[in-house]
Structures are given as structure tokens and as C-alpha cells.
């Protein structure tokens, strides 16, 4: 017997072309040829969907869009945008940052996961959803607090 978690994951495997366009638009990306970009200054920068699943168990899909570019994002060389599908079917931008997103097991309001923002160095900021926005909550490295 296949578990319901597996079936749910299989149903959320890939967005349609229309949903992909809505996701990139909500993330602030613009079409460039057959690709999408969040940074118009780098002709090689291409936005991509890095995560596509329900992060807070509300039955609606959440997406992390990522783009790599040294020219646009400096030393971190990457940025990400978290967007969430709303009950009305539209996508809403929840958070955006330069750096590498790591979805953590710890949670904020509404079961939204904390997000560690990685980059150069060893002590990374962690943001938590407070019901209105993702806000700085702590700093950590490899799951342990740091300053």
C-alpha cells in the first residue's frame, strides 16, 4: 500500500506551465526568452524552482525560487524567494533574501518552517514567520546557536 504522504508528494511533483509563470511572477522574475530572471543585469542568470511542496501543512503549495549570479548577488552568489499559493489560487511572496535557503524543522506561527540563510561564513541568520512576515529570530551554525 502506498502511503498518503507519497501520493501527496507525487501529485505536487511539477507545476504546469501557467502555474510556473504565476510562481515566477510572484517571485519578481521577468521572462527572458524561454527562461525567467530576477536579475536583469546578468545575461546568464536564470531563475529556477528549487522546492515545490506544502511547507506548512495547509494543503497549498509553497515554492522556493532560486537564482545564481555573482554579478547580482555578490559573495553569496545566490538569492531565493519563497512564494506561497493562497486560497484564491494566486501566489504571494512571503520572503526574499540573498543567500542559500535551508528549510528547518523548527516552526513559527501557522506551522511555517524557520529558514536559515546560508552564505559565506559560519554563523547564519534564521528567520521565523511571526504571522505577518519572516523576521530575524536567531543565528546558528550546524543546528547550534552562535553569535
Amino acid at each position: 500500500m502506498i502511503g498518503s504522504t507519497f501520493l501527496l508528494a507525487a501529485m505536487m511533483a511539477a507545476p504546469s506551465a501557467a502555474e510556473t509563470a504565476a510562481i515566477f511572477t510572484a517571485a519578481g522574475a521577468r521572462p527572458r526568452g524561454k527562461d525567467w530572471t530576477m536579475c536583469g543585469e546578468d545575461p546568464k542568470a536564470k531563475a529556477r524552482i528549487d522546492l515545490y511542496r506544502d511547507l506548512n501543512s495547509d494543503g497549498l503549495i509553497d515554492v522556493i525560487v532560486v537564482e545564481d549570479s555573482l554579478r547580482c548577488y555578490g559573495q553569496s552568489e545566490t538569492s531565493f524567494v519563497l512564494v506561497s499559493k493562497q486560497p484564491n489560487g494566486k501566489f504571494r511572496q512571503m520572503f526574499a533574501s540573498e543567500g542559500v535557503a535551508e528549510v528547518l524543522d523548527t516552526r513559527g506561527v501557522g506551522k511555517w518552517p524557520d529558514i536559515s540563510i546560508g552564505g559565506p561564513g559560519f554563523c547564519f541568520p534564521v528567520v521565523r514567520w511571526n504571522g505577518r512576515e519572516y523576521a530575524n529570530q536567531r543565528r546558528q551554525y550546524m543546528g547550534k546557536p552562535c553569535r
Side-chain angles (χ1 to χ4, degrees), residues 62-129:
D62 306 300
V63 183
I64 293 181
V65 176
V66 174
E67 185 172 75
D68 302 322
S69 170
L70 178 61
R71 179 186 284 180
C72 297
Y73 308 117
Q75 209 170 11
S76 69
E77 296 185 33
T78 191
S79 75
F80 69 93
V81 180
L82 170 64
V83 297
S84 177
K85 194 168 198 175
Q86 302 299 292
N88 66 6
K90 296 184 188 270
F91 282 89
R92 170 185 172 206
Q93 188 174 127
M94 304 293 287
F95 185 71
S97 178
E98 289 185 8
V100 178
E102 179 185 359
V103 177
L104 304 175
D105 291 333
T106 52
R107 307 256 168 195
V109 173
K111 297 183 185 177
W112 280 100
D114 293 350
I115 300 172
S116 174
I117 305 168
F122 296 100
C123 191
F124 304 124
V126 174
V127 293
R128 174 173 282 177
W129 183 253

